[in-house]
Amino acid sequence: MGRWICCLCSRVADSLMLLLVLALSCNPSTAATASPSAPHIKPSYSFGRTFLGLDKCNACIGTSICKKFFKEEIRFDTWLSSHLKLPPSYLLSYSGNYTDDAKSWRLVDITRLTSKYRHDRADKRICTSLLKTKTCSLERALRRTQRFQKWLRAKRLTPDLVQGLSSPMLRCPSQRLLDRIVRRYAEVPDAGSIYMDHLTDRDKLRLLYTLSVNSHPILLQIFPDVEGWPFPRYLGSCGRLVVSASTRPLRDFYNAAPEVAADLALQLLAVLRSMGTNDLNYFFYFTHVDAGTFGVFSNGHLFIRDASTLGIIDKEEGSQLIDGRQEYKDIFSCLTVDCQSAFVSCNSIREKHSLVMVCRELLPKLLKGKFLQPVQEKIDNFLQRCANGLADDQGMNEAVAELAEILKPLRSCDSRFAYRYPDCKYSDKY
């Protein structure tokens, strides 16, 4: 009896083993999982639609770089630790790493157009003011607005479609500037056309939303660094996050060596000069500057890190919007600012406007107490005059040239300034 039971157990075991082998052979993924020689697979880390802002689309910036996030070809710095946790969602910006081949990585900045707190307030304002509810479909609410209905019918982006928006870039719009926005909008396939036929209803809402909240990513797209404009490269957007080339804010260099400070100050003056004089005949001006407005790449090259406070005046066409008409305001006018905020008159902006702001807010912190006398005294005297508005008869170019002549002998030529080294060794320009 015992032998019969053992025989039966053996046959049952053989049958079960055969069934297991057949099952594994029919399901390759199960076989791979069961195989002890299979490589360890790193767990995938989910962002969640809320962290990215995808749950708010199409009241968002875009989706052009979402695949990079989900394939982990964009990683936050915290992902390099053993815990691999996502950073807090309330931060305004994050340092990240970007790859195209999974082998070489480069630093990128991942930013929100405004703080999550302001985004949440704006979302609530949309629902309460348009639908009289605490929560709603943001897309459905915004689609019902008179402004967006005009956008849907429009073949071309015209000044009346952007009047009253809070972005400094759109306070004095020209048709030439608006055509450039449509033609170079990077969140849609490039059509190279000034007409909006290639934009779907979804694309139009995303473009309008971005221009209403913060025009920074649009400026990076329409004035790209590869054409010589002083902005970091735009890499794409996902939900309400923007990815661009990484720069260190200017505040990190306030305690830099004298020759580094002199070099950055000269670059800052060159950027201001190019903002007033360029081949396209656009005049750029700042409505506000702070220690995060400018940034420095790893090669020492200075760029405009935050373009959200940049206004543009078209010196070729002029503004096609009378200042009085800019008083028109709707929900898009106050997504991130107070609806009662007054607009700056286009006629009140002068060429030395930005230079005066930089002389007040940035250059003293960068150049104070860095040099020997009498050079330091010359710099301090100039910055004092500049902060007070300069003399009436001294223009922007003359003032920039005066400070540049003081600073040029103070910079050095070595590998710390990779953006101009070793060219500076063989050029009288430096």
Side-chain angles (χ1 to χ4, degrees), residues 149-166:
Q149 289 300 313
K150 289 177 67 176
W151 272 62
L152 289 179
R153 296 189 297 269
K155 292 288 185 182
R156 193 174 183 182
L157 186 60
T158 51
D160 62 296
L161 295 178
V162 299
Q163 66 174 308
L165 296 185
S166 62

Side-chain angles (χ1 to χ4, degrees), residues 278-315:
N278 52 74
D279 293 341
L280 293 186
N281 228 5
Y282 287 116
F283 168 52
F284 298 79
Y285 66 93
F286 285 104
T287 58
H288 171 79
V289 294
D290 58 37
T293 301
F294 295 89
V296 183
F297 283 126
S298 57
N299 64 356
H301 206 170
L302 181 137
F303 277 63
I304 297 173
R305 189 172 190 255
D306 179 4
S308 62
T309 62
L310 269 181
I312 302 178
I313 295 176
D314 191 335
K315 294 197 292 186

Side-chain angles (χ1 to χ4, degrees), residues 38 127 140 144 149 271:
C127 293
R140 189 180 302 120
R144 294 181 180 182
Q149 289 300 313
V271 168

Side-chain angles (χ1 to χ4, degrees), residues 24-205:
L24 291 175
S25 64
C26 293
N27 190 340
S29 62
T30 306
T33 305
S35 172
S37 60
H40 174 69
I41 299 174
K42 188 184 75 173
S44 180
Y45 297 89
S46 172
F47 286 93
R49 294 169 60 80
T50 302
F51 182 86
L52 293 169
L54 281 172
D55 58 326
K56 307 295 186 180
C57 284
N58 292 302
C60 63
I61 313 166
T63 56
S64 61
I65 209 165
C66 286
K67 286 184 179 179
K68 287 278 187 183
F69 278 106
F70 292 125
K71 291 167 65 178
E72 295 184 27
E73 293 176 347
I74 295 177
R75 298 182 181 180
F76 294 88
D77 269 359
T78 51
W79 280 29
L80 302 180
S81 70
S82 58
H83 301 293
L84 297 176
K85 292 181 180 179
L86 285 174
S89 60
Y90 59 80
L91 296 178
L92 190 59
S93 63
Y94 312 89
S95 180
N97 297 274
Y98 176 103
T99 185
D100 287 317
D101 56 14
K103 296 177 182 177
S104 57
W105 295 80
R106 52 192 165 117
L107 290 174
V108 292
D109 288 333
I110 305 169
T111 56
R112 301 182 187 277
L113 295 191
T114 187
S115 68
K116 189 174 186 301
Y117 170 73
R118 285 193 174 183
H119 266 313
D120 291 343
R121 281 188 62 191
D123 294 344
K124 185 177 181 180
R125 188 182 297 125
I126 291 170
C127 293
T128 54
S129 62
L130 298 180
L131 298 182
K132 311 302 180 185
T133 60
K134 291 184 178 180
T135 59
C136 68
S137 166
L138 299 178
E139 180 174 357
R140 189 180 302 120
L142 293 176
R143 276 177 171 272
R144 294 181 180 182
T145 60
Q146 182 180 0
R147 187 191 294 266
F148 187 66
Q149 289 300 313
K150 289 177 67 176
W151 272 62
L152 289 179
R153 296 189 297 269
K155 292 288 185 182
R156 193 174 183 182
L157 186 60
T158 51
D160 62 296
L161 295 178
V162 299
Q163 66 174 308
L165 296 185
S166 62
S167 168
M169 182 181 76
L170 300 173
R171 288 180 184 172
C172 314
S174 69
Q175 188 59 57
R176 186 169 70 115
L177 176 64
L178 297 178
D179 288 343
R180 190 175 182 88
I181 291 174
V182 173
R183 196 170 61 247
R184 294 188 168 216
Y185 182 42
E187 288 297 312
V188 298
D190 182 19
S193 171
I194 61 174
Y195 297 101
M196 295 197 290
D197 298 335
H198 62 294
L199 270 62
T200 64
D201 294 358
R202 174 199 65 194
D203 299 328
K204 289 182 179 180
L205 181 56

